[in-house]
Each structure stands twice: as C-alpha cells, then as structure tokens.
Amino acid sequence: EVQLVESGGGFVQAGGSLKLSCSVSGFSYNDYAIGWFRQAPGKEREAVSCISISDDRAEYLEAVKGRFTISSDNVENTVYLQMDNLQPEDTAVYYCAYAPIFMSKMWKQDGYMTAWGKGTLVTVSA
C-alpha cells in the first residue's frame, strides 16, 4: 500500500517562500507520478503540479508557473514543491498524491491519483 506524508507547510508573508516535502513509501516500481494539489477554504481542489519520477517530466498549473518548482529525490523517495513569491491566493491545504504512471494532463482528472496524503496547511498573509 502506497503511503504519502506531507510536511513543510506554515505561515508566510506575501513574497515569501516555503518548501513542501512529500515522503513516499510502499510503491513497487520506480516509475510513478507524484502530484501536488491544493484546496482553499470554500473552493474545489486544484491540481498544482506533477512530476514523473522516472524522467522528471513535470507540469504546472498556469497560475504557479515560474513561482513553484517540483523536484524529486529518488534516493530519499521524497518529492518537493519549492514555492517562491507566495501570494495570499496560494493559501490552501496542500496534498500530495500518487499515481502508478505519469500521463500528461491526465493526472489532473478526478480518480487518476490512487493514494493521497493527509495534507499540510500553507497560509500566506498579505
């Protein structure tokens, strides 16, 4: 059973940075995808970024391009989301999720990810 644990959330002022971590365990093959999603209060969940562990292909939500960077450490089985120039609209609970394979754009679809972490809260003040 794949398990994911997020960490690194917190409180930051606008313009600041945070680095989220997603520790992954229980997977069988080193060819999977990890996505980051977020859900702000009263809003629907939003797909933020996703990375293919095998070849580092990555995709981003348009609103975070140039500010967020996803990366992976395959030795530590950890995926990171470096978030720079954070804005109040980035405030949300951030979740990482697992899929057995990376498929461009498909990772955003409901039901594509098969395992989820419990989330970490990011709060950005104006």
Side-chain angles (χ1 to χ4, degrees), residues 7-65:
S7 61
F11 181 91
V12 65
Q13 291 187 328
S17 297
L18 284 173
K19 187 174 185 177
L20 305 184
S21 299
C22 174
S23 178
V24 188
S25 62
F27 55 90
S28 299
Y29 302 99
N30 292 329
D31 182 12
Y32 58 91
I34 296 294
W36 284 97
F37 298 77
R38 67 187 182 186
Q39 188 163 21
K43 295 188 177 181
E44 293 191 355
R45 189 176 65 201
E46 191 172 42
V48 176
S49 183
C50 188
I51 189 168
S52 167
I53 298 303
S54 62
D55 60 13
D56 287 338
R57 283 178 293 160
E59 294 183 353
Y60 296 90
L61 175 71
E62 193 65 33
V64 308
K65 283 182 179 179

Side-chain angles (χ1 to χ4, degrees), residues 5 28 32-33 40 43-44 50-51 53 56 62 64 75 77 79-82 90-91 94-95 102 113 123-126:
V5 179
S28 299
Y32 58 91
K43 295 188 177 181
E44 293 191 355
C50 188
I51 189 168
I53 298 303
D56 287 338
E62 193 65 33
V64 308
V75 174
N77 296 325
V79 171
Y80 303 98
L81 186 68
Q82 175 67 45
D90 296 316
T91 294
Y94 283 71
Y95 302 88
F102 176 87
M113 295 296 181
T123 304
V124 185
S125 67

Side-chain angles (χ1 to χ4, degrees), residues 89-111:
E89 53 266 34
D90 296 316
T91 294
V93 177
Y94 283 71
Y95 302 88
C96 64
Y98 165 94
I101 192 168
F102 176 87
M103 292 184 68
S104 177
K105 300 180 182 178
M106 290 298 296
W107 60 275
K108 303 177 185 180
Q109 304 301 316
D110 286 346

